[in-house]
Amino acid sequence: MYIRCTTTRTKATGETYKTFRLVESERIDGKVKQHTLLNLGRYFDVPKSQWKSLSSRINQLLTAQTDWLTIDLEESLETRAQYYATQIITSRSTTLDDSVQFETVDIGSLELVRPRRVGVEQIALHAVRQLTLDDKLKSLGFNQHQLAASLGTIIARMACPASELATHGWLQTTSGLGELIDYDFEDMGLDRLYQVSDQLWKHRKAIETHLYQQERDLFSFSETITLYDLTNTFFEGEAKTNPTAKRGRSKEKRSDCPLVTLGLVLDGSGFPRKSQIFPGNASEPQTLQTMLEGLEGRTGSTVILDAGIASEENIQYLIEHGYHYIVVSRKRKRDFDEEKATLIKDIPGQRVKVQKVTVEETGEVELYCHSQLREKKEQAMQDSFSEKYETALNSLHAGLSKKGTTKKHEKVLERLGRIKEKYARAAQHYEVTVVPDDDGGKANSISWKRMEKANSRQPTLESIAYAPT
């Protein structure tokens, strides 16, 4: 939308004069055409420097963008924008049917009381009903109050994920879900949300089976891919009454807290099939068989795992039960041949090459993937570890000549061992020598030499193994 100035000459006297119009561009049949929205007349006196602001403001008024975009104009220009927008709206109006009635409303008398949001809730509720989850909960014995609490808990996790306490407040003061399902959440106590969470967990298997079946029927997808992975979460308290809360390696760096491990099986389309809570100290490879049992996956389907779960025992289990698999290989030795590799991404500095190798003994197919970006990242990490390792060695060596520091040969070797353990990734590339004094009781000096880099002979690789179809 813009303002156009046109010069016109009268036929009688030859006198020229200017007219102004508000013009809008639109695409018709692939061609851009302009049409006049409003004739501004000969006496339009707004300075040309303000034309763009004026036309933008008129467009804003016509498209109802005032709630999120504001164009500030001086009072006289704002008055013109309002006037011109009203004229355009009036010209667009059509003759109304006699049955249409209008009432005058005093806007100043309107009052906003208990505003509620219903957008996400409406979509989530539609999904719940399309999957007939509410009917399934009724068949499992959920009464009216339990069903409302279940829907409130589930939809709150979709719209505003938080604790039961925060969910309770959200349902009572923010969400319009109660109006959508005709239930007053303001009369519902907090304990009901805790109780219904336990009830949902009790019927977890039946609910998971029902949802997956409905999703499969709704989207008509095939069960050819199964993805499995684990994560864990921690409790800030001691969780003494939770038998599965155990201390282990936390993926959130909170090994100081008791953990639980969550295993999740998904199909190739990303829909969950099965979940399971394991103790926080559970060995990841040992959970695979527990998760796959009872899935009744058809023979020949493909299971995708990461290296943490792809143990030899699990690979053998998949083979014996007729599964194909794609895993990140645990093998350390990888013979990458640049000449036999295929270039699949040819961008300077970001090249990716893949080499396919078939293992004759097992029939496995291995893919060696080399990425220049990955190699740079690995090298930067290795350099960082090496720098920290050398700093620790320097500190240990400098202490040999300082008063009050460790000098005994045996103690120095112990400290050196701890440093090597802490920086194991860097220490494997160094040769360290501790020279004792003549008596052998104290350490005289510490020297080290960095050996050939591990990745100087071949690029950093990521290997993937899979059973051929």
Side-chain angles (χ1 to χ4, degrees), residues 294-305:
L295 286 182
E296 300 178 356
R298 70 177 183 85
T299 303
S301 60
T302 301
V303 179
I304 301 177
L305 309 169

Side-chain angles (χ1 to χ4, degrees), residues 105-121:
V105 177
D106 181 6
I107 297 178
S109 67
L110 297 180
E111 183 179 356
L112 187 63
V113 179
R114 297 177 66 239
R116 299 299 179 104
R117 48 173 285 181
V118 293
V120 178
E121 291 87 336

Side-chain angles (χ1 to χ4, degrees), residues 189-448:
L190 174 60
D191 287 343
R192 189 175 292 280
L193 288 183
Y194 291 113
Q195 294 166 0
V196 84
S197 295
D198 293 336
Q199 193 173 2
L200 288 169
W201 176 255
K202 177 182 177 182
H203 296 286
R204 170 179 55 87
K205 292 183 179 179
I207 295 173
E208 287 177 347
T209 302
H210 171 80
L211 288 176
Y212 184 69
Q213 184 62 49
Q214 292 296 111
E215 290 160 354
R216 186 173 58 181
D217 294 342
L218 185 62
F219 296 100
S220 301
F221 52 75
S222 57
E223 300 179 55
T224 57
I225 300 289
T226 299
L227 299 100
Y228 177 52
D229 201 4
L230 298 104
T231 188
N232 55 35
T233 187
F234 63 91
F235 296 94
E236 292 188 341
E238 296 184 3
K240 292 182 177 180
T241 59
N242 190 338
T244 58
K246 304 291 184 181
R247 295 187 183 275
R249 180 178 175 274
S250 171
K251 297 186 177 181
E252 299 174 278
K253 310 299 182 183
R254 290 303 304 270
S255 299
D256 59 316
C257 300
L259 313 170
V260 291
T261 298
L262 171 64
L264 188 63
V265 174
L266 304 98
D267 76 334
S269 301
F271 290 100
R273 295 191 61 184
K274 182 181 179 182
S275 65
Q276 181 74 38
I277 299 293
F278 296 100
N281 59 355
S283 172
E284 291 191 353
Q286 296 177 2
T287 64
L288 177 66
Q289 184 174 345
T290 302
M291 293 298 291
L292 293 185
E293 287 177 351
L295 286 182
E296 300 178 356
R298 70 177 183 85
T299 303
S301 60
T302 301
V303 179
I304 301 177
L305 309 169
D306 66 9
I309 310 172
S311 63
E312 292 295 333
E313 293 80 5
N314 283 340
I315 298 297
Q316 190 60 37
Y317 170 83
L318 294 174
I319 294 173
E320 292 174 355
H321 288 77
Y323 290 103
H324 296 294
Y325 54 87
I326 300 176
V327 301
V328 178
S329 176
R330 290 184 169 190
K331 293 182 179 180
R332 294 291 183 184
K333 185 178 180 181
R334 303 161 187 170
D335 299 323
F336 185 78
D337 190 339
E338 288 273 1
E339 296 181 358
K340 295 181 180 179
T342 301
L343 183 65
I344 61 174
K345 184 178 181 179
D346 189 12
I347 300 177
Q350 302 180 29
R351 290 187 176 90
V352 178
K353 289 186 175 182
V354 173
Q355 179 189 358
K356 178 180 177 181
V357 178
T358 301
V359 182
E360 296 181 358
E361 294 80 3
T362 62
E364 281 186 336
V365 176
E366 296 181 348
L367 293 179
Y368 295 155
C369 308
H370 169 235
S371 165
Q372 287 184 325
L373 285 178
R374 173 67 183 273
E375 184 174 1
K376 290 178 182 178
K377 178 182 177 182
E378 289 285 340
Q379 187 59 53
M381 293 173 61
Q382 182 62 44
D383 291 343
S384 176
F385 292 140
S386 297
E387 183 180 351
K388 293 177 180 178
Y389 181 60
E390 291 186 12
T391 300
L393 292 177
N394 272 316
S395 177
L396 184 61
H397 173 72
L400 299 179
S401 58
K402 294 181 180 180
K403 185 177 181 180
T405 57
T406 301
K407 298 180 178 63
K408 289 185 178 180
H409 186 257
E410 292 183 359
K411 293 294 183 181
V412 170
L413 291 178
E414 288 180 8
R415 286 194 60 188
L416 178 61
R418 288 195 292 270
I419 293 173
K420 287 183 176 181
E421 182 180 8
K422 183 176 181 179
Y423 303 104
R425 292 184 61 175
Q428 60 182 323
H429 305 304
Y430 285 80
E431 184 179 306
V432 183
T433 304
V434 179
V435 180
D437 60 8
D438 295 337
D439 298 333
K442 295 183 178 181
N444 243 355
S445 64
I446 301 173
S447 61
W448 57 89

